[in-house]
């Protein structure tokens, strides 16, 4: 595997190594023996100073040509309501060849190493993304239609590859249609510690889609292990194309549910902040670090509402998470002034000024704040 990955890395062309959020990789695949395109879309603040040490979950998408634009823009728009994520789109130029989970005689491919696209993602794409970008241990796979069928197949054959599987209108009646019989013959493959989200549309052009969806849901009801966190939802108002967007939206909102904590929730209970993030970390399986802008918004709210004890607690947490940034020290100066402690406020604002980098408006505010503090001394 290491040799395959090294060969793939050396054969990348048209690769930008600058601070670009949107990157297209042309990867000379040793497995496909052809050039394959992979698209990368980074969180909006990926290159910001405050995020230099942060690591991010990764959402992998099949059918990049059709799915990347709407999915990546939605994920980045939702940041703050869900985790910021790196989005990776994998082009599948021959969809039936690339995404099909079946052999030529219509049987489900039981050995993952024999499925070219799955093996490409496992041995070439994921190692490259994890080496090049600041990823954490949490990853999701999403696919639509044949991509949804591939997503379901990937979970059944290599469940360790991703933490979350999102199958949007999986084409279970396509080809030989043997995926459902395969699941029924191997119910033990549903006994997983994973998250599986399946959605399909009521307004469908495919005769077998809804009966197969109901049959799949019955199998999950009967055989899913207690650790498989699964949802299978039929969307009455959606069709086969709209389900790709709304289904993914609902899926990521569910995975990262209760992401935000409000100032009112910690009023008089400042340690609820720690409990909140500990709960998220335990549920998702990695350490969830509060996002910079979330801490700014939360601490600003607490200062404005004059919840000063809680504000001081959150600002000190903000400093601990992002010690080399000016904003939390500037906020701390506001907290200290509210506490009528101008000497400590002056220490905080001087620290903020020393950390302010190439931000004229921020520096102007800090100098104005310093003048206000000096008048109080």
């Amino acid at each position: 595997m290491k040799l395959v990955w090294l060969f793939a890395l050396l054969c990348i062309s048209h690769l930008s190594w600058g601070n670009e959020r949107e990157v297209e990789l042309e990867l000379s695949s040793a497995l496909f023996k052809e050039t394959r395109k992979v698209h990368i879309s980074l969180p909006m603040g990926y290159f910001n100073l405050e995020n230099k040490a942060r690591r991010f979950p990764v959402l992998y998408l099949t059918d990049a040509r059709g799915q990347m634009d709407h999915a990546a823009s939605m994920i980045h728009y939702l940041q703050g309501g869900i985790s910021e994520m790196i989005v990776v789109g994998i082009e599948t130029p021959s969809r039936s060849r690339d995404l099909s989970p079946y052999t030529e005689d219509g049987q489900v491919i039981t050995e993952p190493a024999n499925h070219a696209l799955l093996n490409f993602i496992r041995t070439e794409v994921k190692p490259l993304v994890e080496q090049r970008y600041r990823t954490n241990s949490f990853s999701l796979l999403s696919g639509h239609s044949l991509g949804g069928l591939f997503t379901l197949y990937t979970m059944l054959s290599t469940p360790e590859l991703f933490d979350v599987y999102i199958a949007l209108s999986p084409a279970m009646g396509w080809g030989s249609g043997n995926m459902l019989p395969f699941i029924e013959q191997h119910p033990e493959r549903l006994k997983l510690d994973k998250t599986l989200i399946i959605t399909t549309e009521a307004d469908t052009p495919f005769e077998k889609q809804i009966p197969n969806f109901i049959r799949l849901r019955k199998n999950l009801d009967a055989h899913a292990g207690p650790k498989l966190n699964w949802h299978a939802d039929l969307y009455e108002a959606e069709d086969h194309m709209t389900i790709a967007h709304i289904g993914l939206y609902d899926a990521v909102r569910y995975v990262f549910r209760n992401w935000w904590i409000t100032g009112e929730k910690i009023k008089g209970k400042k340690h609820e902040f720690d409990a909140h993030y500990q709960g998220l970390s335990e549920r998702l399986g990695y350490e969830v670090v509060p996002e910079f802008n979330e801490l700014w918004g939360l601490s600003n709210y607490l200062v404005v509402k004059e919840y000063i004890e809680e504000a001081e607690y959150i600002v000190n947490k903000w400093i601990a998470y992002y010690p080399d940034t000016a904003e939390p020290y500037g906020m701390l100066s506001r907290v200290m002034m509210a506490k009528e402690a101008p000497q400590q406020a002056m220490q905080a604002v001087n620290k903020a000024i020393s950390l302010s980098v190439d931000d004229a408006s921020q520096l102007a505010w800090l100098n104005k704040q310093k003048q206000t503090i000096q008048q109080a001394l």
Side-chain angles (χ1 to χ4, degrees):
M1 182 187 301
K2 288 183 178 179
L3 289 176
V4 170
W5 173 82
L6 180 60
F7 176 80
L9 180 61
L10 293 174
C11 290
I12 291 173
S13 60
H14 302 293
L15 175 57
S16 168
W17 295 94
N19 289 0
E20 294 185 16
R21 288 186 51 241
E22 309 291 334
V23 180
E24 179 183 288
L25 311 181
E26 290 188 350
L27 176 59
S28 296
S29 171
L31 289 168
F32 280 111
K33 295 180 172 53
E34 63 184 22
T35 298
R36 284 294 178 112
K37 290 184 178 180
V38 177
H39 302 261
I40 310 293
S41 182
L42 300 175
M44 287 185 281
Y46 185 86
F47 294 108
N48 290 359
L49 173 65
E50 65 267 19
N51 289 323
K52 65 181 182 180
R54 284 196 63 207
R55 294 186 168 272
F56 300 87
V58 185
L59 171 64
Y60 291 84
L61 303 169
T62 61
D63 291 323
R65 291 179 187 174
Q67 303 301 324
M68 189 68 180
D69 286 347
H70 82 90
S73 62
M74 176 180 67
I75 294 300
H76 300 324
Y77 177 80
L78 289 174
Q79 68 178 43
I82 66 170
S83 174
E84 294 177 283
M85 284 192 279
I86 298 168
V87 182
V88 177
I90 302 161
E91 287 200 9
T92 42
S94 176
R95 297 183 73 248
S96 58
R97 179 194 69 178
D98 290 347
L99 296 168
S100 173
Y102 304 124
T103 62
E104 290 185 1
D105 61 358
Q107 300 305 305
V108 173
I109 299 170
T110 55
E111 176 50 58
N114 294 333
H115 193 289
L117 180 64
L118 178 53
N119 212 20
F120 173 62
I121 294 171
R122 182 175 63 87
T123 64
E124 296 186 299
V125 177
K126 277 199 81 178
L128 174 62
V129 171
E130 290 167 2
Q131 186 274 338
R132 167 96 194 273
Y133 297 103
R134 299 193 310 274
T135 67
N136 65 20
S137 62
F138 194 77
S139 61
L140 309 85
L141 175 66
S142 178
H144 170 245
S145 194
L146 275 177
L149 182 66
F150 172 78
T151 297
L152 186 60
Y153 166 72
T154 301
M155 188 196 76
L156 295 170
S157 59
T158 55
E160 70 283 358
L161 199 54
F162 299 96
D163 300 282
V164 177
Y165 294 86
I166 303 170
L168 306 169
S169 189
M172 290 173 291
W174 182 85
S176 65
N178 275 335
M179 182 57 69
L180 277 167
F182 178 78
I183 292 171
E184 290 162 351
Q185 293 162 15
H186 302 279
E188 71 281 357
R189 292 184 181 239
L190 296 175
K191 302 189 186 306
L192 302 168
D193 185 7
K194 298 291 173 181
T195 295
L196 170 65
I197 300 171
I198 306 170
T199 63
T200 202
E201 69 284 354
D203 183 10
T204 183
F206 306 112
E207 181 180 355
K208 296 180 181 179
Q209 184 68 10
I210 294 176
N212 284 345
F213 174 80
I214 293 171
R215 183 176 162 189
L216 174 61
R217 192 160 59 186
K218 287 180 179 179
N219 274 279
L220 286 162
D221 270 327
H223 302 298
K227 292 186 177 181
L228 181 62
N229 178 17
W230 67 274
H231 285 263
D233 297 314
L234 178 65
Y235 283 61
E236 294 290 345
E238 306 302 331
D239 61 36
H240 187 63
M241 299 311 296
T242 61
I243 196 72
H245 187 82
I246 193 65
L248 179 60
Y249 173 92
D250 285 348
V252 295
R253 288 282 289 141
Y254 172 75
V255 170
F256 298 107
R257 61 194 179 277
N258 302 322
W259 192 253
W260 181 265
I261 185 169
T262 67
E264 294 301 322
K265 288 183 179 178
I266 64 173
K267 179 185 176 183
K269 300 178 292 183
K270 61 189 179 184
H271 293 291
E272 283 296 311
F273 176 86
D274 304 288
H276 176 81
Y277 283 99
Q278 183 178 351
L280 282 178
S281 298
E282 290 174 355
R283 177 162 61 80
L284 294 170
Y286 69 93
E287 183 184 2
V288 176
V289 175
E291 293 169 6
F292 188 88
N293 288 335
E294 181 175 352
L295 289 166
W296 183 93
L298 181 58
S299 58
N300 185 68
Y301 177 89
L302 295 169
V303 171
V304 169
K305 296 290 284 188
E306 299 183 349
Y307 301 158
I308 301 305
E309 181 182 352
E310 293 85 350
E312 183 177 8
Y313 186 79
I314 298 305
V315 170
N316 282 317
K317 289 283 182 178
W318 190 9
I319 290 171
Y321 283 120
Y322 300 94
D324 300 322
T325 57
E327 288 86 345
Y329 289 99
M331 191 70 70
L332 183 60
S333 75
R334 291 174 61 190
V335 172
M336 291 299 111
M337 287 298 286
K339 291 183 67 175
E340 298 182 354
Q343 289 184 336
Q344 291 171 275
M346 182 61 75
Q347 292 173 357
V349 80
N350 283 334
K351 179 69 172 178
I353 290 170
S354 73
L355 291 171
S356 186
V357 179
D358 297 328
D359 190 333
S361 61
Q362 180 186 74
L363 199 55
W365 180 87
L366 290 171
N367 284 322
K368 185 177 179 180
Q369 174 76 344
K370 184 172 182 177
Q371 290 174 6
T372 301
I373 297 168
Q374 286 172 333
Q375 292 170 4
L377 284 170

